[in-house]
Amino acid sequence: MTRFERWSVYLTSIVTTATGVVYYAMKHFLEPPEPWAVVNHPWQPWVLKAHIVAAPLLVFAIGLIALRHVWRHFQSRTPYGRRSGITLALMTGPMILTGYLIQVITHEGLLRAMALAHLGFGVVYALGLGVHQVAIHLMHARRRGALGGGGAVGREPAAARRPGRARRPRSVEA
């Protein structure tokens, strides 16, 4: 995964999660300023709009990594980050689908169910991304030998790690 792809997923996930959590908190935990107010906070519509703008960017970022990262690692049965990666992949589709359905469903009961499902899938996605990052970080630390994993001992060749992509040698400058 390229640095651009990685940061695209991270940043859009953070912005989408943050706006979603803030919107949920405004909607469910704040009291309206007036008894007949439509929103509980003056910024509530803007936070929702930010979430709706950030979400398609997240979908695009996930699409960027779908084949070269997600599918390739799924097929190769990479052990590190596998459970959290599969959890992320399984949460992504329903999270996106419920997010779109919230915008078109008009039946109040069904809308509430979609909103709760979207919230649940979104929370599991956000937590899964954090767990996935920790798992990947630990794997890289073990490979470097920082955690007593033996460094390069037992390390697979570069061609096996990144099929089709050769690693550029790092230049050593004083």
Side-chain angles (χ1 to χ4, degrees):
M1 184 165 34
T2 67
R3 182 176 288 163
F4 174 76
E5 293 168 341
R6 185 177 306 116
W7 281 103
S8 294
V9 172
Y10 295 160
L11 291 176
T12 57
S13 294
I14 289 167
V15 171
T16 306
T17 301
T19 55
V21 168
V22 170
Y23 176 75
Y24 181 82
M26 285 179 171
K27 184 168 176 134
H28 295 285
F29 297 120
L30 295 180
E31 293 292 324
E34 299 173 0
W36 300 102
V38 177
V39 295
N40 296 344
H41 192 278
W43 288 3
Q44 186 175 332
W46 294 102
V47 172
L48 177 59
K49 289 175 188 208
H51 184 71
I52 291 172
V53 167
L57 297 174
L58 173 60
V59 172
F60 178 76
I62 290 170
L64 280 175
I65 67 164
L67 286 178
R68 287 189 342 153
H69 180 75
V70 177
W71 184 245
R72 187 179 84 199
H73 282 80
F74 182 74
Q75 284 185 319
S76 71
R77 300 192 182 273
T78 300
Y80 296 104
R82 185 161 181 83
R83 282 188 222 137
S84 58
I86 289 173
T87 300
L88 285 170
L90 291 175
M91 290 300 108
T92 300
M95 178 182 67
I96 293 168
L97 180 64
T98 55
Y100 283 113
L101 288 176
I102 287 170
Q103 299 178 54
V104 297
I105 290 177
T106 57
H107 185 270
E108 192 171 329
L110 193 53
L111 180 61
R112 183 177 303 267
M114 283 300 120
L116 289 174
H118 183 66
L119 177 67
F121 290 127
V123 166
V124 173
Y125 170 84
L127 293 175
L129 186 61
V131 169
H132 192 64
Q133 284 312 113
V134 169
I136 299 305
H137 177 71
L138 290 175
M139 181 223 21
H140 287 302
R142 277 190 208 114
R143 282 187 175 174
R144 286 190 308 267
L147 298 177
V153 176
R155 189 173 178 180
E156 51 197 85
R161 282 194 316 269
R162 293 180 163 235
R165 291 183 74 190
R167 249 190 195 168
R168 292 187 339 196
R170 294 183 180 166
S171 61
V172 180
E173 296 179 19

